[in-house]
Structures are given as C-alpha cells and as structure tokens.
Amino acid sequence: MSQTVDRALSILPLLAQGPADLGQVAERLGVHKSTALRLLRTLHEHGLVYRQEDQRYRLGARLFALAQEAVENLDVREIAHSHLVALNDRCGHTVHLAVYEEQEVLYIDKVESRYPVRMYSRIGKPVAITVAAVAKLLLADLTEPERRVIAEKLDYPMYTSRSTPNPAAFLKELAVVREQGWATDLGGHEESINCIGAPIRGADGRVVAAMSVSAPNVVVTAEELLTLLPLVRRTAETISREYSGTTQPKKV
Amino acid sequence: MSQTVDRALSILPLLAQGPADLGQVAERLGVHKSTALRLLRTLHEHGLVYRQEDQRYRLGARLFALAQEAVENLDVREIAHSHLVALNDRCGHTVHLAVYEEQEVLYIDKVESRYPVRMYSRIGKPVAITVAAVAKLLLADLTEPERRVIAEKLDYPMYTSRSTPNPAAFLKELAVVREQGWATDLGGHEESINCIGAPIRGADGRVVAAMSVSAPNVVVTAEELLTLLPLVRRTAETISREYSGTTQPKKV
DNA sequence: AATGGGTGTTGCATATGTTGCAACGAACTT
DNA sequence: AAGTTCGTTGCAACATATGCAACACCCATT
C-alpha cells in the first residue's frame, strides 16, 4: 500500500539470502542507486541492516532483539512454558510449542532433550508443514475450505519415504487428526525421529497452539513414545484450561 | 532519511512492547490514523506485523524467519558451531558464541548444558554488556577512545554485589582482559553463575567473536571451572585459525 | 604517475506518492 | 434506537521520494 515502505521492506528478504552491495540491492529492487542508498540508510538507522567492513549490507542485530521481544510477549508461550519444562522433566525428550500464522507454522518455544542425541530445530524456524505433528494439529482446526486451499498450495517434499506425498493424503491425515484430537509424525521428516503432539485450545475451543514430544529411534521406539500420549494430552489440556481462564474475561 | 520508511519502522519497537490497536499506533507515531493504517498494512503484507482476532496488531512471524536466516548466514557461527558442540561434549556446560554490533553484544549461538540446572539465555538476546565475559572480550578489542566513549555511555546495573559498578572499573577490567587474552564473569550477572571466555580472531588479529563456558556454582566451583580455561582457549584458537583460513582470500 | 573503470555519495528539479481531512460504515453501549 | 468508538475509503493539496548527472573515492591497469 505504501510504495516506499514496500520497497524498503523488500530489501530484508533479499539480504536474508546473504550480504549484498548497493548496486545489487538497487538492481534487484528495480530502483536507482541513490534511492536504494536512502532506503538502506533508513533501515540502518533502525538497526535492521548492518554494514560490514567491506561496505556490503547484511541483516542487523535489532532484528534478533525484535523477534526476541515479540516471542516473549505471546500469552500462550508464557502460560505453557512451565508445563513444557515439567513434561521434559518427566520424559526427558525434546518438547516443542508451535503456532500457526499466515500460512506458516513455527516453533515459539522448545525445551531441549536431556539425551545426548538431539534433533535439530530452532525457535522461529518454520516447521516442515506437511509432516510435523504440530503442523497437522494446527491446520486440522481450520475450516474445510481453508484446509483445501492450503493443501493445494503447499509443496510436498519427500524428506523420507514416509513423508506426506500429496494434497489428498494430507487432507486425509488432517481429517484423522481432527477426529482423534492428537497427531503423530513417525519418521516423516527425519527417518529416525518420531513425534507425538496434542492441541492447545482457547476458551472457544479453537486450536491456538500445538505441542509435541520428539525422540529419536535410538532412544525410544515409536511404540514406547506412544505410551506417553496420555501424558502429553493431559499437559495440553492443562495448558488449555489455564489459557482459557486468563483469556475468558475478554479484554477490549 | 526517508520519512515514510522511518515512521513505518518506528512501529516495530512500539509493537515489541505489546499489541496495540490502530489508534494507539497513530497516536504514538504522531500521525493521522489513516496514515498509520497504510503503514501497518504494508508491514502486514510483508509479514512483519500480524493482526490478531481482536484487530490489534503485534509483531509477525516473518521477523523470526528473517532473524533465523540472518544468523545462519554468519560465517563465524557456521565455522564455530561444530567446535562448540565438541566442547560441550567434553565439559557438559553451556557454551555461548557472541558478536559485537553497533553498541550491542548478542549471542548468536548456544549449546545447552547437559546438567539439569541451566542458565537462562537465548540466541538474539542482548547480553549484559558490563559483566558478561564475552562482552568484555569483544569490547576489549576496540581502540582506546572507542572503549572510553562506550564505557561512559553504558548503564551499570548492579545485578549482584560483584557486578561492574562504573565506567572506571569497566575500563580497568577491559585492560586486564585485553592483556591476558581471556575473560571471566564470576557471579557478576547471577550470583551463582560463573563464566570463562576466550576471543575468536580473524586473519588480521581483530576479535570477530567471543565464546564462553558457563556453569552454576551448584555444579562446579569457580576454581574447577577455571581448570577448563586451557581447553576453552584452545578451542577459540582452533576456530580462529579455521576462520582466518577461509577469509584470507579476501573477496571483493 | 596517470588513466580508467568500479564503487558509493550528494544537490537538485520534477512529479509522484503520501498525507490529513471529512465522511462513511460497522460493532458495541447506553 | 440513538450515541460511542473504532476501522476504513476517496480525494485534493502538499510534501516527499525519485532519478538524474556530477562528484569523490579506491583500486587495478597502462
């Protein structure tokens, strides 16, 4: 809606791919060098862009700080955190919390496994949306037309032989998840890693977040992991209740 | 330099403090509501701002993704990571990697402690600059006038009785660190937590990053932690060598 | 040494894009 | 049903961002 701001913001994803000099930025933006310079300067003043010694620009430090503050202000995260830690204490595995936002699912909290073999993931990292247990839970709660539209739009990378292969399979899986109220990812993302997850609901019953427990085969088999399901579901329900409680007196 | 972009970007730190509605944003920005609306819309299109159900705006998901991509593109981090993990394997404690940028020191990587008692920190979080071992290392490498200017500008919160109290003490500490080539934080941030750190240098000898090992008193005493110093310094030197190697053929 | 291409940078006139206004609509209170 | 409050839209006036051309600078080449 605002051309100038639009151009300035387009620089960010561009720099996310790697550092670039003024000429490159101007070219890829389709504007004159002097224009690009002024936009970059403004971004720089706000700390979103950093100028390294070789004069090239890259993303700046304030971005981290902003993302940091943002995540700490999420209500669900705050409420859920202690419960996630408690769950980790009991089972020892990696625990994740994720939300859905604008076509993306992303982790907003994580408690690391106590076992030496850990799975790779990071807060803020977009989730493998077609296979992750938390993604299935969050998408399963959308309306049927929404689910169809998104399922069609997605890519279906075959991380492993057990990855969700296409929209039809994904929609079917979402229906199952919706029905049973929990989800799994059995080697669909990484051959040797299994997850089980459960939804966290707001006062109106809608899914506001999803949590999961992940563990590699070498630590526990899929069957053993599934025995934790009741515990995971109870934890999710506890968080749901607490979250509903605090948000019931809906502030305006 | 660009008024429109400047205004738009000023919205981000504003929303970092918590969600706000259109009126609040317009007021705190000092512009008309319609103007604020258009800026917010542009930010929204780029995913930097999210509109929650109650119509209020808060920071959006893409911020995380951007910060994520940015951190993964840092050369030092990539080179250092495996060494940090190896160090953690050997000693079990929390390992941090930090850089200095525009008056701030921030963590860009972290390997969690294997012990149940962990210290709180998060990648992207600005470091307690007056006490942290990594901060001392990074600042100690600046020129003398730079150090003086920064030391004067900083706040000196007394986290504990052993926190650095004022600019003079800080400058003195930096001189020591600069001389000896390593740094400590013995209960200066959290009474019960000690850290030891070492610098990572580029080909020209300048400090490009700093790493540290942190452990709470309940796990190891400060003396025991100090026995790890040679190991930490060796690791930092290994990383320095590898980093210098890759950046020697200075790209233009 | 001097020249040439490659950067990033500045001042300026033009016109493009942004602004505030006022009026509308929707949702919620009284 | 009238009265708030909030978000939204179209429009005309103005301020602001734009591209240009010229400059400054650094490095490599001759």
PDB file of all heavy atoms in Angstrom, chain B residues 31 48 221 225:
ATOM      1  N   VAL B  31       0.937  10.627  13.911  1.00  0.00           N
ATOM      2  CA  VAL B  31       0.367  10.802  12.568  1.00  0.00           C
ATOM      3  C   VAL B  31      -1.130  10.499  12.579  1.00  0.00           C
ATOM      4  O   VAL B  31      -1.664   9.999  13.572  1.00  0.00           O
ATOM      5  CB  VAL B  31       1.042   9.860  11.543  1.00  0.00           C
ATOM      6  CG1 VAL B  31       2.523  10.160  11.430  1.00  0.00           C
ATOM      7  CG2 VAL B  31       0.799   8.412  11.921  1.00  0.00           C
ATOM      8  N   LEU B  48       5.679  -8.697   8.693  1.00  0.00           N
ATOM      9  CA  LEU B  48       6.386  -8.234   9.882  1.00  0.00           C
ATOM     10  C   LEU B  48       5.425  -7.909  11.010  1.00  0.00           C
ATOM     11  O   LEU B  48       5.817  -7.787  12.164  1.00  0.00           O
ATOM     12  CB  LEU B  48       7.213  -6.989   9.558  1.00  0.00           C
ATOM     13  CG  LEU B  48       8.278  -7.176   8.488  1.00  0.00           C
ATOM     14  CD1 LEU B  48       9.064  -5.902   8.302  1.00  0.00           C
ATOM     15  CD2 LEU B  48       9.197  -8.313   8.871  1.00  0.00           C
ATOM     16  N   THR B 221      32.573 -25.463  41.091  1.00  0.00           N
ATOM     17  CA  THR B 221      33.009 -24.212  41.703  1.00  0.00           C
ATOM     18  C   THR B 221      33.739 -23.378  40.668  1.00  0.00           C
ATOM     19  O   THR B 221      34.097 -23.860  39.599  1.00  0.00           O
ATOM     20  CB  THR B 221      33.987 -24.493  42.862  1.00  0.00           C
ATOM     21  OG1 THR B 221      35.175 -25.080  42.309  1.00  0.00           O
ATOM     22  CG2 THR B 221      33.375 -25.430  43.875  1.00  0.00           C
ATOM     23  N   LEU B 225      35.916 -24.564  37.374  1.00  0.00           N
ATOM     24  CA  LEU B 225      35.605 -24.035  36.039  1.00  0.00           C
ATOM     25  C   LEU B 225      36.866 -23.486  35.386  1.00  0.00           C
ATOM     26  O   LEU B 225      37.101 -23.683  34.191  1.00  0.00           O
ATOM     27  CB  LEU B 225      34.539 -22.937  36.143  1.00  0.00           C
ATOM     28  CG  LEU B 225      34.000 -22.382  34.818  1.00  0.00           C
ATOM     29  CD1 LEU B 225      33.315 -23.481  34.014  1.00  0.00           C
ATOM     30  CD2 LEU B 225      33.043 -21.238  35.068  1.00  0.00           C
TER      31      LEU B 225
END
